[in-house]
Amino acid sequence: MSDLGYDAAHMLGAVVLLMSFALLYQRRLFSLLNVFTMQALALTATAAWQAYSHGEPHLYITALLTLVLKAILIPVALHRIIVKMKIHRSIEPALGIGLTMVAGVSLVTLSILLVLPVTADATALTRENLALSLSVVLLGLLMMISRRNAVSQVVGFMSIENGLILAAVGVAGMPLVVEMSVAFSVMVAFIIFGIFLFHIRERFDTLDMQKIESFRGESD
Amino acid sequence: MGLVVSAIAFLFAMAVAGAAAKRLPQASTVVYGGTAGACALIALWAAVGLAGGGPDAALVLPVGLPWIQAHLRADALSAVFLIVVNLGGITASLFGWGYERAHHDSHGASQDGPVLPLYPLFLAGMNMVLIAADAFTFLLSWEFMSLASWLLVLSTHREPETPKAARLYIIMASFGTACLLLAFGVLATAHGDYSFAAMRAHAPEAGAAALVVVLILLGAGSKAGLVPLHVWLPLAHPAAPSHVSALMSGVMTKVAVYAMIRVLFDLLGEPDWWWGGVTMGFGALTAVMGVLYALMQDDVKRLLAYSTVENIGAIVIALGLALVFKAAHTPVIAALALAAALLHVVNHSLFKSLLFFAAGAMLTATGSRDLNRLGGLIHRMPTTAVLALIGAAAISALPPLNGFVGEWLLFQAILNAPALSEWSLKIEIAVVGAALALATALAAACFVRLYGIAFLGRPRSRAAAEAVEVGRAMRLGMAVPAVLCVVLGVLPTPLIRLFEPALRLLVEAGPFDGRAYQPWFWLAPTSAIGNSYNGLIMLVVIALLSVVLVLGIHRKASDRVRWSIPWGCGFDGPDPAAVTQYTASSFGQPIRRAFGSTVFRARDHVEMPAPGDTRPARLSVTWTDPAWLVVVEPLSRAVTWLADRANRLQFMTIRRYLTLMFLALVVLLVMVAVTQR
């Protein structure tokens, strides 16, 4: 592979990771959605670049799916939900932003320490890519637990899935079927989340998880 | 091997037939007949294999986890235990068939839970444990056996004590399986292969082996009833229907012994000297405690269950001795001790089945298991009385019955202690021998008490006075083990010869090695220090002495005029509550005073009414089980405490759950990252 191909792939992967960090410190729902859209766009670019540089046309389909679902459909739908349900548009973090960032950086360190020795005999691109995508997955998880708002938990889940796709496009030989099924499972998950959000909203008049928890008769 | 597997498959088919019992009119005949047939087939296969120098059949079934498969193998050791299990299966089927019909007639249809579908499953589970040749199949079969027997215990769920017994049983069974799981995990760590062949090839190092020994003693010991893990056994075994009690007590405990032998002698390789010491110590404690418990029981079946604990103790002592002598590189003595263990396994399965059947017959005839409500049954149930006498004499180790031969061999092994070099072991074996002698003597007292109170004297209740002899199938079910008890007692040598392939497999020697002259009627092991036993001479002498004694008594005593008091204190006529008779508690009192007041904190309370009061005076006995105080109660408190803490996990928020999962993931990843360095 040419140096350009490697550098570009590396950079695009890094952008995806950067967007994950950006997701962590957003305080507004709409900006959260915007960052998420940008992450999806970066992912689309990665997939398309891999398809081009490796000459694997099926990755174009992955790129297209990502673009349509992640970058357009889901953000737009979430946007509409937020507007329609008049959700309070600020996010209340359960963990301080600074602490979250520190935790995020240490997670990235962990995944680099973890992946690089394991994949000693794989190509450089695969190693970098795996490290990046593992970091994205871990950051997505971190986001899900450090936010109280249901919408931001949905976004966190979606960004975990972005990490998986990033791993899938980076590793040569991942069958298309897997990507397709991952994409569709996310779609289904999204629909279910949407329905749940509506129902929660109807029942409890809020999407703040902390307030919802008080309805269980338990408090933590 | 194919034969054994298809016979087990047939047992499963019988379970299906049993499940359809409501539709089939003759279901119980079909199921018990089919089960007995399948058991007979397996036992025959095993016996033929052993006679031909020990079978060694293996089979790999493509079931179970995809990359592991199910390895089955029947070697000489499996064959010995296959005979024990299936012989028990045959007699229990025969007895159970009659028992079920008798209870069906008297109680009407669906008083109890289903026994028919579970009974063949229980036997199938025990057979599968014996032929399993990888840890996965073994544990699966083991758990299957436990669950089937647990459900059988629950079949009497209408009785007030059953739920408690079943709960304790399932807890102890899970505990045992967990220990076995860990033991096999340790055995497989070196190479990651769970088949027994691989474990045998790679013996673990000393530390791991020590851990395995402890775990096996806990895991298999809790199933066999080693003190202090025996607490479930006297509750659960009597709760099941009598033929199932016989199987659980006489046979399932032997499957646990099989697990001990398989791991300690076969899989772990060369033993260390202290393994046998620990094993023996537990055995001695179990033997003495078991029989002391038994002496204090009034419930016939519970008494028998405690007596099982005692016999398991004797077997485990023999196993410990065999380990010690194997470690000391005196294989012929080890073979003698192991032969004693195997012989006692067979013997106990025979006479314990017989005695449980007799208890079942008493229960059928009188509706009671309480010794203090029985009495005088020898007149009402003569056949049962004779057969139960054989069982009681055999378990008390009286010559010329089989119990005596087993104990005799065991003591020959104990007398070989000076051949060892470790002084601590020499002293321990002497102590263990004394404890075993004490346990044997107390066992004899215990069964004199059982037999005397239940069958002799006068009836203590109307039900006992009106008891009728049980049906032919039940009597036949008792007669088979009784006859075997006598035959094995008179001619034990052929059976020990039959076991020789198993002994050679485990300790690489036979008990008769190096003896030129070995007739089949003479039992003279090489290392028995010149002692020998001849059952035929014993039989003839005892028969002659008995005849002389009977004739003498008849001549001199029977026709004498006897004087008695006209006011017989209620002994005149069949008083339904002949309370002035010697009772079971009266019989146990001297021993309870001697041992029970320290070990069990047994106390007698006399409630004496004031002069002029017409109330009767009452004597009540209270005692506490030290195993409950020391093991079960602290454990149950700990479990409750942990459960309370863990209960909080039930009520956390989604975010907390996610956090926990996330943290677990991160910790695992960190561990991976660290261990890679």
Side-chain angles (χ1 to χ4, degrees):
Chain A
M1 191 201 299
S2 66
D3 278 346
L4 177 67
Y6 173 78
D7 286 342
H10 201 165
M11 190 199 73
L12 286 170
V15 171
V16 175
L17 179 59
L18 191 65
M19 289 303 129
S20 271
F21 271 105
L23 281 175
L24 279 180
Y25 66 80
Q26 297 307 316
R27 287 178 179 278
R28 304 262 158 208
L29 275 182
F30 284 144
S31 56
L32 187 77
L33 286 184
N34 291 341
V35 174
F36 177 70
T37 313
M38 282 197 274
Q39 188 182 36
L41 284 176
L43 187 63
T44 309
T46 318
W49 177 253
Q50 295 280 16
Y52 169 72
S53 66
H54 286 253
E56 289 187 55
H58 74 257
L59 285 180
Y60 283 120
I61 302 176
T62 311
L64 193 68
L65 275 176
T66 314
L67 183 71
V68 173
L69 284 178
K70 298 279 188 55
I72 301 172
L73 218 54
I74 290 176
V76 169
L78 278 176
H79 207 279
R80 285 190 51 176
I81 288 174
I82 291 168
V83 172
K84 204 169 162 190
M85 298 204 292
K86 300 196 183 69
I87 292 172
H88 190 59
R89 290 183 195 169
S90 71
I91 304 170
E92 214 182 311
L95 204 63
I97 298 283
L99 260 174
T100 318
M101 297 307 280
V102 171
V105 173
S106 32
L107 284 177
V108 173
T109 322
L110 172 66
S111 45
I112 289 173
L113 285 179
L114 192 71
V115 169
L116 293 190
V118 177
T119 54
D121 14 319
T123 61
L125 177 61
T126 313
R127 300 169 63 185
E128 305 282 340
N129 228 326
L130 277 178
L132 287 174
S133 49
L134 184 60
S135 315
V136 174
V137 169
L138 290 179
L139 288 180
L141 275 170
L142 180 63
M143 172 160 177
M144 280 184 85
I145 64 169
S146 65
R147 293 286 178 276
R148 288 227 170 93
N149 190 295
V151 175
S152 61
Q153 286 185 349
V154 174
V155 172
F157 181 81
M158 298 291 166
S159 87
I160 291 176
E161 201 271 338
N162 281 346
L164 294 180
I165 297 279
L166 183 63
V169 297
V171 179
M174 175 82 93
L176 182 64
V177 181
V178 176
E179 289 165 34
M180 296 285 281
S181 56
V182 169
F184 277 108
S185 66
V186 167
M187 195 63 211
V188 170
F190 173 70
I191 292 167
I192 292 170
F193 271 132
I195 293 168
F196 264 107
L197 289 182
F198 270 107
H199 275 260
I200 291 171
R201 165 72 190 222
E202 258 172 48
R203 280 295 284 251
F204 302 114
D205 245 5
T206 179
L207 280 181
D208 189 329
M209 295 313 265
Q210 207 172 22
K211 287 180 186 154
I212 292 172
E213 274 147 17
S214 65
F215 282 95
R216 302 197 313 175
E218 311 285 333
S219 55
D220 62 332
Chain B
M1 194 70 197
L3 186 88
V4 177
V5 174
S6 36
I8 292 175
F10 185 71
L11 286 176
F12 277 99
M14 283 297 110
V16 175
K22 293 247 164 66
R23 311 242 175 81
L24 298 169
Q26 288 296 317
S28 103
T29 311
V30 171
V31 171
Y32 283 116
T35 308
C39 287
L41 212 61
I42 301 177
L44 205 64
W45 180 87
V48 168
L50 275 177
D56 191 6
L59 192 68
V60 179
L61 290 183
V63 290
L65 293 185
W67 63 96
I68 290 182
Q69 299 178 316
H71 297 260
L72 304 177
R73 179 155 175 264
D75 57 9
L77 179 65
S78 309
V80 170
F81 279 87
L82 280 174
I83 293 179
V84 173
V85 166
N86 290 298
L87 208 57
I90 296 168
T91 51
S93 301
L94 196 59
F95 183 85
W97 180 59
Y99 186 78
E100 197 119 300
R101 282 208 307 191
H103 279 244
H104 208 71
D105 295 342
S106 60
H107 300 308
S110 54
Q111 270 287 330
D112 288 340
V115 172
L116 274 187
L118 299 168
Y119 175 76
L121 287 184
F122 180 36
L123 276 166
M126 291 195 284
N127 275 311
M128 285 183 332
V129 171
L130 298 181
I131 59 171
D134 65 64
F136 190 74
T137 316
F138 184 93
L139 288 171
L140 196 72
S141 315
W142 182 273
E143 203 54 10
F144 190 82
M145 165 184 92
S146 300
L147 286 180
S149 57
W150 179 68
L151 287 172
L152 281 168
V153 168
L154 268 183
S155 73
T156 60
H157 59 93
R158 276 169 222 282
E159 285 174 25
E161 294 209 333
T162 301
K164 185 187 167 206
R167 198 173 68 109
L168 188 61
Y169 178 28
I170 193 107
I171 291 171
M172 291 304 283
S174 317
F175 168 77
T177 312
C179 288
L180 287 181
L181 184 73
L182 293 177
F184 283 122
V186 173
L187 274 173
T189 26
H191 40 88
D193 191 342
Y194 280 84
S195 76
F196 283 177
M199 290 179 191
R200 206 172 284 131
H202 306 82
E205 65 211 271
L211 191 61
V212 171
V213 171
V214 172
L215 284 172
I216 281 294
L217 282 180
L218 287 177
S222 73
K223 185 62 104 195
L226 278 189
V227 171
L229 301 171
H230 67 283
V231 283
W232 65 275
L233 197 138
L235 291 175
H237 285 185
S242 291
H243 55 298
V244 180
S245 305
L247 276 185
M248 287 178 74
S249 212
V251 175
M252 188 171 72
T253 51
K254 306 306 176 299
V255 177
V257 171
Y258 165 82
M260 283 186 211
I261 299 182
R262 176 61 78 195
V263 175
L264 293 179
F265 286 86
D266 189 15
L267 300 185
L268 269 179
E270 200 56 30
D272 239 341
W273 63 270
W274 62 266
W275 299 2
V278 171
T279 312
M280 232 186 312
F282 268 116
L285 180 69
T286 305
V288 175
M289 289 295 283
V291 72
L292 282 178
Y293 282 119
L295 268 164
M296 318 216 340
Q297 299 303 317
D298 289 342
D299 180 322
V300 178
K301 285 173 86 174
R302 188 169 294 177
L303 183 153
L304 290 175
Y306 273 122
S307 146
T308 297
V309 173
E310 182 243 327
N311 280 281
I312 287 295
I315 293 170
V316 170
I317 290 175
L319 290 184
L321 279 173
L323 271 178
V324 164
F325 286 114
K326 189 184 179 189
H329 301 290
T330 44
V332 182
I333 311 179
L336 176 69
L338 198 57
L342 292 183
L343 191 63
H344 205 76
V345 162
V346 175
N347 292 342
H348 181 247
S349 79
L350 289 173
F351 46 62
K352 192 45 64 69
S353 298
L354 170 57
L355 287 167
F356 262 112
F357 294 159
M362 288 187 239
L363 184 61
T364 310
T366 67
S368 174
R369 305 190 323 215
D370 187 354
L371 269 181
N372 291 324
R373 299 182 57 76
L374 301 172
L377 291 178
I378 196 166
H379 301 295
R380 310 289 309 184
M381 309 167 73
T383 319
T384 307
V386 170
L387 296 172
L389 180 62
I390 295 179
I395 203 169
S396 310
L398 296 186
L401 296 168
N402 59 350
F404 176 78
V405 185
E407 303 265 353
W408 183 81
L409 273 184
L410 184 46
F411 277 107
Q412 297 311 318
I414 287 176
L415 292 177
N416 271 300
L420 294 167
S421 55
E422 291 280 343
W423 267 100
S424 53
L425 276 181
K426 283 191 203 185
I427 294 167
E428 187 191 353
I429 291 178
V431 174
V432 165
L436 183 66
L438 173 69
T440 314
L442 287 175
C446 173
F447 281 93
V448 168
R449 171 173 176 258
L450 170 68
Y451 194 82
I453 301 293
F455 286 95
L456 307 181
R458 283 171 181 271
R460 290 181 177 77
S461 67
R462 191 165 295 283
E466 291 164 2
V468 281
E469 181 61 284
V470 291
R472 200 170 295 159
M474 288 166 78
R475 273 180 284 162
L476 192 61
M478 287 186 274
V480 173
V483 168
L484 282 172
C485 279
V486 178
V487 169
L488 290 184
V490 175
L491 294 173
T493 316
L495 185 71
I496 297 173
R497 285 254 175 237
L498 195 65
F499 289 169
E500 247 188 81
L503 303 178
R504 292 202 182 285
L505 184 77
L506 299 173
V507 294
E508 287 144 7
F512 304 113
D513 282 2
R515 282 248 160 157
Y517 178 62
Q518 273 300 324
W520 53 274
F521 51 84
W522 200 281
L523 179 60
T526 320
S527 44
I529 330 174
N531 300 330
S532 67
Y533 167 82
N534 190 327
L536 282 174
I537 296 179
M538 212 54 131
L539 181 68
V540 170
V541 169
I542 289 175
L544 280 178
L545 286 177
S546 309
V547 168
V548 169
L549 191 67
V550 168
L551 282 179
I553 290 176
H554 214 65
R555 279 281 163 76
K556 300 279 178 197
S558 290
D559 50 354
R560 290 287 175 87
V561 174
R562 273 185 284 178
W563 297 86
S564 65
I565 315 159
W567 299 93
C569 275
F571 267 82
D572 211 23
D575 177 6
V579 286
T580 48
Q581 268 193 89
Y582 210 48
T583 63
S585 313
S586 330
F587 199 105
Q589 194 211 30
I591 294 167
R592 195 174 61 234
R593 285 264 169 94
F595 297 98
S597 49
T598 43
V599 183
F600 300 115
R601 287 195 230 153
R603 296 283 179 274
D604 296 356
H605 301 282
V606 180
E607 189 192 326
M608 191 63 77
D613 197 342
T614 51
R615 277 186 305 129
R618 289 207 172 275
L619 175 84
S620 52
V621 178
T622 54
W623 59 287
T624 46
D625 184 344
W628 277 93
L629 284 182
V630 176
V631 179
V632 179
E633 276 173 14
L635 255 181
S636 89
R637 269 200 300 274
V639 168
T640 312
W641 185 85
L642 271 178
D644 278 350
R645 295 294 167 280
N647 198 16
R648 286 188 189 171
L649 289 177
Q650 208 80 31
F651 300 104
M652 290 200 309
T653 62
I654 293 178
R655 210 169 53 74
R656 293 241 162 152
Y657 283 128
L658 280 174
T659 314
L660 278 185
M661 279 155 58
F662 179 67
L663 288 180
L665 177 68
V666 170
V667 167
L668 281 177
L669 288 179
V670 168
M671 274 167 58
V672 173
V674 169
T675 49
Q676 267 167 8
R677 306 276 110 182

